[in-house]
Amino acid sequence: MSMLRRLLSLWRVTAVRLSVAYTVAFGLLAVFLIFYMTGGAVDYLRQQFQQSINEEILSLEGTYRDLGLNGLVREMEHRSLAPGANLYVIAGPDGRILAGNVRSVDPDVLRRTGWQMHPFEYRSLVDDDDEDEDESRAVARILQLPNGFRILIGQDIGQPERFRDVVRRALTISLGMMLLLGFLIWYFVGRRALKRIDMVSRSTERILAGDREERLPVTGSRDEFDRLSVRMNQMLDRIFLLDSGLRNVSDSIAHDLKTPLTRLRNKADAALSMNGRKAEREELLGEIIADADQLIKTFNALLMISRVESGSRIVDLETLDVSAVLQDVAELYEPVAEDEGVALETDIPAAVAVRANRELLSQAVTNLVDNALKYGRPHAGKAVLRIALENSAGEVRIIVADNGPGIPEDKRDAVRERFVRLDESRSKPGNGLGLSLVEAIAKVHQGRLELGDAAPGLKAVLILPKPAG
C-alpha cells in the first residue's frame, strides 16, 4: 500500500505525467515503426521474388516452344540442381508431380493458375531424410501448358520470414529495454522531484507557522528547483524586510504621534474653557491649527514614502536639466537662508542632464536643504549652506553640505530610517522622515544617498546615473 501511495504521489507531479505521456507516445511510434519496417522489408523481398519468377517463366516458355515438353523437363531438372535454386514442379493433368525438386505440395495449389501469393506449405526432395522437419513455405506462379500439364515456379519465403522475425524480435527487445529504462528514469527522477517538492512544502509550512528565518532549500545543483528557490527566498527576504519596516513604522507612529496628539487635545480642551478671553482663545486655536498642519505634513510624508517605495507614485522618467532644478531650489531657499542668517553658496555648472522625475528630484533636494537649515548650524560662527553639482564619469552628484555639528558616523545609517531623529528631545521642528524620503527617491532613480563628513558639518550626496548615450 505504501508503494501504491508513493506511485500515486508521483503521478500527481506534472513533470512525471509529462514523462509518462512522452514515453507512451514514443512507445506507440516505435511499435508502428517496427511493423512498418519489417512489413516493408518483406514486401520488398516478395517483389524481388515476383520479378525473379517472372523472368524464369519467360525463359522456360521459350524452352518449351523450342524443345517441347522433354526439353522443358530437362531444363527444369538442370536448374533445380543449382545451389539456392527456385522451386520447380512439372505436374500432370491429374496433379501428380512428374519432375522437379519438390517432393510434395498441396494439391489445391496445383489446380490453380497464376500467382499464388498466399504462402503455401511444401516439402522439398532434400527433406526426404527428415520426416519430422516442419514443412517449408513458399510463393509461386503456376502456368498451364497446352497439353494440360502444369509447371510451378516458386521461391521459398522462409528466409524473408526469418529475417522479419529476427528484426521484429530485436526491435521488440530494444523497445522493451527502452521502455524499462524510461520507466526507471521516470521513477527515480520523479522521486527526486517529489523529494524536492516535499522539502519545499515542509519549509513553507514552517514559514506559515511563523518561522521568519526559514527559507526554501537550495541544494546547489543549479536546476530549475534551485533557481525557483533562490527567487522565492529573495522574495521572502523582501517581504519580511517590508514587514519589519511596517512594524517599525507602526511603532514609530504610535510613539511619535502620541505626544503631539495629546498636546493637541489638551490645547483644544483649554480653548473650550476660555470663556470671555477671546484673544487668548484665538492664539490657542492658532497653535492647534499649526500642530494639526504639522501632523498632516507627517502623514503626507509617510504617504509619499510608501508610494515611492511601492512604485505607484512613479511616473515615466525624462531627461531633464538637473542644473536648472538646483538653481530653482537655491532661488527658493535664498530668502529663507537670509532670514535665518545662513550664507547660501552654490556651485552649479550649467546644462547637466539626468533621467529623473522632476517633482521627486525637487522634493529630494528640498528635503536635504531643509535639513541643513534646521540642523546645520554651528555652535559658533556663521552658518554656511553649500549646494553643488558634480558631473563625473557615469554619474551626477548633487551635494548639500553645511558646517554644523554633522552626524556621527555610527548613526548615519540609522537616520535614514523613518522617524529617527538625533534630537531626542524633539525640541526642533520635524518628523524624522526627510532623509527616509530622499533615500526612497534615490532608489527609484537607481541611485543612492551617501552621508559623509564635510569637516565640519554634514555632507549629503545624492548620486544619480547619467543617461545612456
Side-chain angles (χ1 to χ4, degrees):
M1 290 298 294
S2 60
M3 179 60 71
L4 179 60
R5 286 195 298 269
R6 191 70 176 176
L7 290 175
L8 290 176
S9 299
L10 284 175
W11 181 249
R12 296 189 187 102
V13 179
T14 301
V16 172
R17 293 202 297 268
L18 288 175
S19 300
V20 172
Y22 291 147
T23 302
V24 171
F26 173 76
L28 293 176
L29 178 61
V31 170
F32 169 77
L33 290 176
I34 289 174
F35 285 95
Y36 176 78
M37 292 174 62
T38 56
V42 171
D43 288 341
Y44 174 76
L45 291 176
R46 286 182 176 177
Q47 291 175 5
Q48 295 298 312
F49 291 165
Q50 287 182 337
Q51 181 178 356
S52 174
I53 292 172
N54 285 333
E55 292 175 355
E56 289 274 358
I57 293 289
L58 291 175
S59 175
L60 292 174
E61 284 180 340
T63 302
Y64 178 73
R65 285 193 303 269
D66 296 338
L67 303 176
L69 180 59
N70 292 332
L72 177 61
V73 170
R74 288 193 301 270
E75 180 64 24
M76 291 181 66
E77 290 286 355
H78 173 71
R79 294 188 182 188
S80 66
L81 297 176
N86 292 335
L87 304 183
Y88 297 97
V89 175
I90 298 179
D94 57 356
R96 185 166 56 90
I97 297 176
L98 302 178
N101 57 358
V102 175
R103 176 188 174 195
S104 64
V105 70
D106 186 354
D108 290 337
V109 173
L110 294 175
R111 294 192 187 101
R112 306 186 188 102
T113 58
W115 279 103
Q116 179 65 26
M117 294 307 299
H118 183 72
F120 59 88
E121 294 181 348
Y122 76 95
R123 186 178 294 276
S124 67
L125 292 177
V126 296
D127 299 332
D128 286 348
D129 298 333
D130 193 355
E131 298 291 340
D132 296 330
E133 185 177 343
D134 293 336
E135 292 185 338
S136 303
R137 290 159 54 85
V139 294
R141 182 181 174 186
I142 300 96
L143 184 68
Q144 185 173 351
L145 301 177
N147 59 3
F149 283 76
R150 295 172 186 264
I151 62 173
L152 180 148
I153 309 297
Q155 280 200 348
D156 185 272
I157 63 171
Q159 182 178 357
E161 288 189 338
R162 285 191 296 273
F163 169 76
R164 178 193 61 193
D165 293 340
V166 169
V167 172
R168 186 169 294 178
R169 185 163 51 252
L171 291 177
T172 301
I173 293 174
S174 300
L175 175 61
M177 294 296 294
M178 286 188 289
L179 290 178
L180 177 61
L181 181 61
F183 173 79
L184 293 176
I185 293 175
W186 162 73
Y187 180 74
F188 288 108
V189 171
R191 282 187 60 190
R192 179 177 178 274
L194 189 59
K195 182 179 179 181
R196 295 291 298 274
I197 292 173
D198 288 341
M199 293 169 60
V200 171
S201 179
R202 288 192 294 270
S203 295
T204 54
E205 287 175 359
R206 287 191 286 267
I207 293 171
L208 290 174
D211 186 353
R212 299 172 62 86
E213 301 300 324
E214 179 67 22
R215 292 296 181 267
L216 302 185
V218 178
T219 63
S221 60
R222 298 184 180 180
D223 58 5
E224 62 276 9
F225 286 103
D226 266 6
R227 293 196 296 271
L228 179 60
S229 294
V230 168
R231 291 298 183 184
M232 292 293 290
N233 289 339
Q234 292 173 349
M235 182 185 70
L236 289 172
D237 290 339
R238 179 63 176 167
I239 289 173
F240 289 144
L241 178 63
L242 294 176
D243 182 55
S244 299
L246 180 61
R247 288 203 307 272
N248 293 336
V249 168
S250 300
D251 294 341
S252 299
I253 290 176
H255 180 270
D256 286 315
L257 298 186
K258 180 180 179 180
T259 300
L261 285 174
T262 302
R263 186 169 57 247
L264 189 65
R265 188 213 179 271
N266 292 337
K267 288 181 179 180
D269 187 57
L272 289 175
S273 63
M274 288 182 179
N275 295 325
R277 293 179 291 176
K278 182 177 180 181
E280 295 180 7
R281 184 177 184 180
E282 289 180 352
E283 182 181 356
L284 196 56
L285 289 174
E287 293 178 4
I288 292 174
I289 293 174
D291 290 343
D293 288 342
Q294 183 61 35
L295 289 174
I296 292 173
K297 289 180 181 179
T298 299
F299 282 109
N300 284 340
L302 281 171
L303 183 61
M304 176 171 283
I305 292 173
S306 298
R307 288 179 175 176
V308 168
E309 289 181 341
S310 66
S312 62
R313 181 65 178 79
I314 304 306
V315 296
D316 293 336
L317 302 181
E318 59 178 335
T319 301
L320 55 85
D321 185 359
V322 67
S323 304
V325 173
L326 295 185
Q327 291 288 0
D328 291 343
V329 173
E331 292 177 5
L332 176 66
Y333 275 91
E334 187 174 6
V336 178
E338 186 176 350
D339 292 342
E340 296 287 338
V342 178
L344 179 61
E345 301 176 354
T346 59
D347 182 11
I348 306 173
V352 177
V354 295
R355 280 191 61 78
N357 178 277
R358 180 180 294 273
E359 181 182 354
L360 293 181
L361 183 59
S362 298
Q363 181 69 56
V365 177
T366 299
N367 281 15
L368 294 177
V369 174
D370 191 62
N371 275 354
L373 287 174
K374 289 178 183 176
Y375 309 110
R377 296 177 178 276
H379 298 298
K382 186 176 180 61
V384 178
L385 171 62
R386 178 172 175 266
I387 302 175
L389 178 64
E390 294 181 357
N391 185 11
S392 58
E395 59 185 24
V396 173
R397 302 167 64 88
I398 300 171
I399 302 171
V400 177
D402 60 64
N403 64 340
I407 299 177
E409 186 175 356
D410 59 342
K411 295 184 178 180
R412 289 173 187 169
D413 289 333
V415 295
R416 303 167 190 259
E417 300 177 5
R418 301 175 192 181
F419 293 107
V420 174
R421 299 175 65 183
L422 297 182
D423 178 22
E424 297 180 358
S425 64
R426 302 297 198 260
S427 60
K428 296 181 180 180
N431 49 33
L433 297 173
L435 291 180
S436 298
L437 180 56
V438 176
E439 177 88 0
I441 292 174
K443 290 180 179 179
V444 166
H445 290 82
Q446 286 79 50
R448 62 187 186 277
L449 173 65
E450 293 182 355
L451 301 178
D453 190 357
L458 176 67
K459 181 180 179 181
V461 184
L462 178 59
I463 303 174
L464 301 176
K466 295 183 69 173

